[in-house]
Amino acid sequence: MLAVDADEVDRKRHLDQGCAMSSGQLDDEYDREEAEAIAAALYLTPNELNEIEYTIHEIANDDGLVYGYGVEIKEGAPQHILDKLAPLPRRGNLVLIHVQGYADDADQEQMEIEMARTTVYKVKLYNIATDEVVISRRMATYEGAAKMGGWTVEGTGHVVDVTDLEPGEEWTPRDFDAS
């Protein structure tokens, strides 16, 4: 579980209030609540979360203070779920999430700095003048490609700092090199 201390406090409170739940029922309830929080942080439904195998990793500063969590998605996840996760911020192979109440809010700023990354893709555009599909000289997020009137090329994603995007836009400058 993500927050053992909070779970222990809740468990004791339930027992003190005379709740007639067994330890197993409480564990199931906490697991369900945790899964719902993780699904919400990943912008997935609980059913979609059940379709994937994942591991939660703590992200801590040099002093060991946990300020966020990363979700490692195991191989074999359905493509429609991977597509939903693609625009989310990453740190290496981890999808970064902030589960309310689990990370120290004093370190939220550090988490936001770490999360200031996005994934951009090559974009296909239809050129009405030549009646051809061309590859844009810019790379864009999914939203940026849609704003441009194009669509992303799967398998071309690169994680970049949001500062690499044009100010206020969802795409990079022309001839951007994401390598």
Side-chain angles (χ1 to χ4, degrees):
M1 293 193 187
L2 293 178
V4 175
D5 296 304
D7 289 349
E8 204 55 43
V9 169
D10 285 344
R11 202 176 272 129
K12 287 178 183 175
R13 185 174 61 231
H14 277 286
L15 293 174
D16 290 343
Q17 293 172 349
C19 293
M21 292 181 83
S22 71
S23 177
Q25 288 172 317
L26 284 173
D27 287 342
D28 290 345
E29 178 68 15
Y30 293 128
D31 289 345
R32 184 188 60 75
E33 289 174 2
E34 180 181 278
E36 286 176 357
I38 293 167
L42 292 171
Y43 302 99
L44 298 175
T45 66
N47 288 339
E48 289 173 326
L49 185 66
N50 286 334
E51 291 183 49
I52 62 174
E53 289 185 40
Y54 62 92
T55 304
I56 302 292
H57 298 274
E58 292 181 343
I59 300 173
N61 63 18
D62 292 337
D63 297 326
L65 182 64
V66 175
Y67 60 87
Y69 295 92
V71 180
E72 177 185 4
I73 308 300
K74 303 295 182 181
E75 286 187 35
Q79 188 62 45
H80 72 277
I81 292 177
L82 295 175
D83 290 344
K84 284 181 82 170
L85 298 175
L88 297 179
R90 295 183 179 270
R91 181 179 187 184
N93 66 337
L94 301 178
V95 177
L96 299 177
I97 62 171
H98 175 69
V99 180
Q100 195 65 26
Y102 287 131
D104 185 342
D105 289 333
D107 285 322
Q108 182 62 23
E109 184 177 331
Q110 177 65 30
M111 178 69 168
E112 289 170 1
I113 290 168
E114 292 289 332
M115 292 177 66
R117 300 179 63 73
T118 191
T119 304
V120 294
Y121 302 86
K122 289 184 178 181
V123 177
K124 288 184 179 181
L125 299 168
Y126 175 71
N127 184 333
I128 195 167
T130 62
D131 193 31
E132 296 177 345
V133 174
V134 296
I135 301 291
S136 173
R137 293 172 53 195
R138 301 176 189 271
M139 297 183 81
T141 64
Y142 283 115
E143 295 83 8
K147 285 181 185 178
M148 294 166 69
W151 59 97
T152 59
V153 178
E154 293 302 319
T156 62
H158 291 281
V159 177
V160 298
D161 289 331
V162 293
T163 57
D164 290 330
L165 301 178
E166 289 280 339
E169 300 295 351
E170 296 283 330
W171 50 74
T172 64
R174 288 187 178 130
D175 302 319
F176 177 78
D177 182 17
S179 318

